[in-house]
Amino acid sequence: MQFAAQPFELEDRSPQMRVPEGCAIVIFGATGDLTGRMIVPALFSLQQRGLLPDDFAIVGFSRSKWNTAVFREEMETAVREYAGAMTIDGTAWADFAQRLHYISGNYGSREDFEQLAELLGRVSDEHSCGGNYVFYLSTPPSVYSDVIQQLGAVGLHQANGENSSWRRVVIEKPFGRDLATAQTLNAQIANVFAETQTYRIDHYLGKETVQNILVFRLANHIFEPLWNRRYVDHVQITASESIGIEHRAGYYEESGAMRDMFQNHLLQLYSLVAMDPPVVFDAEEVGAEKIKVLRATRPIPLTQIDQWAVRGQYGPGWARGEYVKGYREEENTDPHSNRETFAALKLYIDNWRWEGVPFYLRSGKSMTKKVTEIAIQFKRVPHLLFGLTPADALNPNAIVIRVQPNEGFSLQFRVKSPGQTIRVHQVSMNFDYESLFNGEAPPAYETLLLDILRGDRTLFAHKEWIEYAWALITPIIEAWESSPASNFPNYEAGSWGPPEADALIAMDGRSWRRP
Ligand code: BG6
C-alpha cells in the first residue's frame, strides 16, 4: 500500500529559508580526510545550488606545508571524486577555487594564529565577508583545546567594535571519550566561546528523516495522542551496519560501538522520539526538551549490567556477499581485543509519558545489512476476537521510521484477507521519500553546514545534552573495559548480532524486529 502523492505543497514559512550572510569558513585540519571527502564537496554543492552567499571564502589551516595553489588543486580532485552525481564545469570550479586560501601553522602557536588573523582580515576584505567567521575544527580531538585557546588568545573568537559581525565554532565528533573529558572540553570551549556560538556536529541530526521525526509527530494530530505509555508497548532503535571497521582500527580500538554510535547518534534518535513537544521550534526549546529526556532516563544498575546492556564482537563470517575476517583479524587490531563492535541497551524514562515503556537500542558493525530505523511498537488489543490467540495478537501495530536506506515511514496494521472466513492479515502502509518527492534527500553535511552559516543551532548537540549522554554511557564503558568479555567473538559477521542481544529483549517477552 502506498500513500498517493499530494498535488499541493504547504507554503514554506520556515525562517531559515534565507541565503546566509557573507562569511569566511576557516577549516582546521584542512589537509585531512573529512575536509576533502565531506566539508568542501558539501560547500561546493551548496554554492552550485545557489544556497551560499556571493560573499564567501574558505581558509584552510593545517600543519602540512601546502600553499593556496596546492590546496586548490587538492580540493578540485576531492570535489570531483566526492561531489556525487553533480557535473562540475570549469567556470563553476574556477569561481569556487578563487575563494579557497591556505595557511600552514601549528595548532598551539600564537604567532601562527596571529598570521591567520591577518590573512583572514585580507580574505574578508577581498571577498566582502564582513568579518563573519566560522571556525571548523576538523582536526584530531587531541588539538581541539589548543585551537580554541589560540582563537581566544588572538581575539578571533569575537568581532571587534560595534559592527554586527559574528564568530562561530564547529566541533566534530568524537566530543570527549567519557564524561570527564567531555566536561573538560565543554569548559575549554566555554572559556572562549558562548554556547550560542558553538555548534557540535552529529551528522545523524542532518539526515532528512531524523528532522522529519518532529514534523511527523507534531504537525499531525493523529499520532501524538498515541505517543505515550497508554498505547506504546516498547520502542526499538536499530542502527546496524554491514561494513566492518574498514581501515579505522586505530580509532576503533580506542572507541567501540558505545562511544562511536550510542553516546551520539542513537541517543539523539532516542531523545527526538521521546521528547515532549517544545513551545516553539528553535534550538533552545528543542534542546531543552531533549535534555529532559536524558535527565529522566534511569541510570543503568551497574550491579546487574548484563540485564540492561550487552556487548558483542564480530568473528569471521559471510557478509556483504563474501567471507570476511573477524574483528580480531582486521588490520592493526589486537588479536585479543576486548573492543565491542556491537552493543544493545535497554532504557527506561521515568516520567509521565514513558513510565514502564522500555526503549531497546542496538547498533553494530558487520551485521546482516545497513539499516537505521525506529519502531514504535503499540500494545496488543485489549480483547481478542477473530480466533486470535494471545501469541497472534502480539504487537499488531507499529509505526516504523526508516532513517536509512529508503527513507520514509510505515504504519503496520491488520486487515481481513479476502474470503468467506475471517482470516487476519498484517499489512503495511508506506510513505517513502524518494518516490514522493522525486529524488534524494540532501546529504546531512550540506544541511548542517547551511544551518551553521544561517546561525541555526537546532540540529546541533547542546553542552548539557552531551554531558547527560556521557553520564549515561560512561559507567557501562568503564564496566566493560575493566572486565574483558570471556566470549568474544560472539557473533558471526553478517548476522544480526550476538545471542546475548536476543536474550536481553526475550527476557521481557519481546523480540527484535528483522528490518
Ligand atoms: C560515524 C561512525 O559517526 O557514523 C562510523 O564513526 C559509522 O563508525 C557512521 O560507520 C555511520 O554513519 P551513517 O551515516 O553511514 O549511518
Side-chain angles (χ1 to χ4, degrees):
M1 212 180 296
Q2 238 17 59
F3 284 121
Q6 292 298 312
F8 66 91
E9 228 178 69
L10 292 175
E11 188 189 335
D12 190 338
R13 302 218 187 89
S14 147
Q16 305 139 6
M17 280 316 292
R18 54 188 160 83
V19 171
E21 291 172 282
C23 62
I25 304 157
V26 182
I27 308 176
F28 295 102
T31 57
D33 182 57
L34 188 71
T35 304
R37 204 163 39 82
M38 292 286 184
I39 306 172
V40 173
L43 288 168
F44 179 72
S45 160
L46 288 171
Q47 194 215 18
Q48 294 307 291
R49 295 197 288 124
L51 293 169
L52 289 193
D54 290 336
D55 308 321
F56 89 93
I58 298 172
V59 175
F61 182 111
S62 227
R63 281 180 289 229
S64 311
K65 300 275 175 237
W66 287 8
N67 56 29
T68 292
V70 176
F71 186 48
R72 289 178 182 173
E73 253 169 55
E74 293 283 338
M75 291 306 108
E76 180 172 3
T77 312
V79 167
R80 288 189 188 279
E81 185 165 355
Y82 295 111
M86 193 183 317
T87 42
I88 299 162
D89 80 60
T91 333
W93 176 255
D95 173 59
F96 187 81
Q98 50 94 19
R99 301 164 187 275
L100 300 178
H101 302 264
Y102 184 85
I103 177 169
S104 81
N106 283 317
Y107 297 117
S109 155
R110 176 154 181 165
E111 236 170 62
D112 293 350
F113 275 68
E114 273 160 3
Q115 287 190 5
L116 169 68
E118 232 178 87
L119 173 67
L120 263 175
R122 274 184 275 129
V123 166
S124 176
D125 288 345
E126 183 186 331
H127 298 276
S128 311
C129 301
N132 297 324
Y133 305 146
V134 172
F135 300 106
Y136 196 126
L137 275 63
S138 167
T139 60
S142 53
V143 300
Y144 286 170
S145 74
D146 281 348
V147 175
I148 290 161
Q149 221 181 324
Q150 293 309 326
L151 287 171
V154 301
L156 275 172
H157 63 303
Q158 58 189 17
N160 299 321
E162 60 289 349
N163 72 10
S164 59
S165 54
W166 44 257
R167 306 291 156 93
R168 293 175 191 148
V169 65
V170 183
I171 324 273
E172 266 294 336
K173 66 162 278 205
F175 195 96
R177 51 174 288 108
D178 54 21
L179 177 58
T181 49
Q183 282 170 328
T184 306
L185 181 54
N186 270 335
Q188 284 163 343
I189 297 171
N191 272 337
V192 177
F193 291 96
E195 181 65 16
T196 49
Q197 293 176 283
T198 308
Y199 294 72
R200 296 175 192 79
I201 295 250
D202 183 319
H203 78 282
Y204 266 54
L205 292 177
K207 291 183 190 280
E208 197 65 32
T209 323
V210 174
Q211 296 173 63
N212 210 349
I213 294 172
L214 291 184
V215 176
F216 178 79
R217 285 184 53 192
L218 306 175
N220 297 300
H221 203 160
I222 57 174
F223 305 120
E224 196 54 22
L226 308 178
W227 216 264
N228 57 52
R229 62 190 299 271
R230 277 186 295 285
Y231 298 97
V232 175
D233 178 74
H234 72 279
V235 177
Q236 292 190 20
I237 303 180
T238 298
S240 64
E241 294 189 82
S242 53
I243 53 166
I245 54 151
E246 301 193 296
H247 302 291
R248 296 164 79 214
Y251 161 75
Y252 208 85
E253 280 281 86
E254 290 298 314
S255 159
M258 269 291 172
R259 288 192 178 93
D260 188 46
M261 293 294 289
F262 278 71
Q263 179 277 327
N264 39 45
H265 312 323
L266 268 82
L267 286 182
Q268 286 287 359
L269 300 180
Y270 166 80
S271 303
L272 286 167
V273 165
M275 67 182 252
D276 278 340
V279 178
V280 287
F281 188 69
D282 71 14
E284 290 313 314
E285 300 287 340
V286 172
E289 295 304 334
K290 283 165 57 186
I291 290 167
K292 279 193 219 159
V293 173
L294 296 189
R295 274 179 57 200
T297 299
R298 198 181 301 169
I300 303 293
L302 288 178
T303 48
Q304 310 159 338
I305 190 168
D306 295 348
Q307 293 173 35
W308 298 81
V310 301
R311 53 182 157 166
Q313 188 191 74
Y314 61 88
W318 284 92
R320 313 182 290 279
E322 53 181 353
Y323 194 73
V324 301
K325 292 179 192 163
Y327 179 73
R328 291 178 176 182
E329 292 83 51
E330 298 274 17
E331 199 182 62
N332 298 328
T333 57
D334 176 347
H336 305 288
S337 178
N338 181 43
R339 187 48 70 202
E340 84 282 2
T341 60
F342 172 99
L345 190 57
K346 174 164 80 167
L347 297 174
Y348 279 105
I349 303 172
D350 291 327
N351 66 12
W352 277 59
R353 184 189 282 265
W354 294 118
E355 190 60 41
V357 178
F359 283 68
Y360 301 98
L361 281 56
R362 65 177 163 165
S363 177
K365 298 275 186 198
S366 261
M367 293 177 64
T368 314
K369 54 160 105 156
K370 165 103 180 154
V371 57
T372 305
E373 66 154 50
I374 302 166
I376 317 294
Q377 195 73 59
F378 291 92
K379 292 187 172 170
R380 46 167 274 190
V381 291
H383 176 58
L384 299 178
L385 299 172
F386 316 119
L388 288 174
T389 65
D392 303 324
L394 276 180
N395 308 328
N397 301 129
I399 290 174
V400 180
I401 303 171
R402 293 191 310 274
V403 175
Q404 59 189 13
N406 312 325
E407 288 88 344
F409 294 82
S410 72
L411 176 63
Q412 297 174 0
F413 54 95
R414 286 189 169 155
V415 294
K416 176 184 167 302
S417 316
Q420 274 92 24
T421 53
I422 293 197
R423 287 216 320 272
V424 176
H425 193 77
Q426 183 88 19
V427 293
S428 152
M429 201 149 88
N430 283 317
F431 149 67
D432 88 84
Y433 258 86
E434 209 175 340
S435 58
L436 197 54
F437 292 118
N438 242 344
E440 284 181 17
Y445 264 86
E446 290 185 25
T447 304
L448 296 177
L449 276 161
L450 198 53
D451 279 359
I452 294 164
L453 302 183
R454 286 172 175 154
D456 183 343
R457 289 165 42 248
T458 315
L459 300 181
F460 296 83
H462 190 277
K463 166 181 175 205
E464 264 184 74
W465 187 93
I466 292 263
E467 293 185 12
Y468 276 113
W470 274 122
L472 194 65
I473 296 295
T474 303
I476 307 172
I477 296 175
E478 285 173 354
W480 285 351
E481 288 182 345
S482 64
S483 72
S486 54
N487 59 349
F488 275 6
N490 60 350
Y491 72 98
E492 262 181 38
S495 71
W496 275 110
E500 289 81 354
D502 295 331
L504 176 83
I505 191 167
M507 197 156 58
D508 301 336
R510 302 186 175 97
S511 57
W512 292 108
R513 292 168 45 82
R514 294 282 179 253

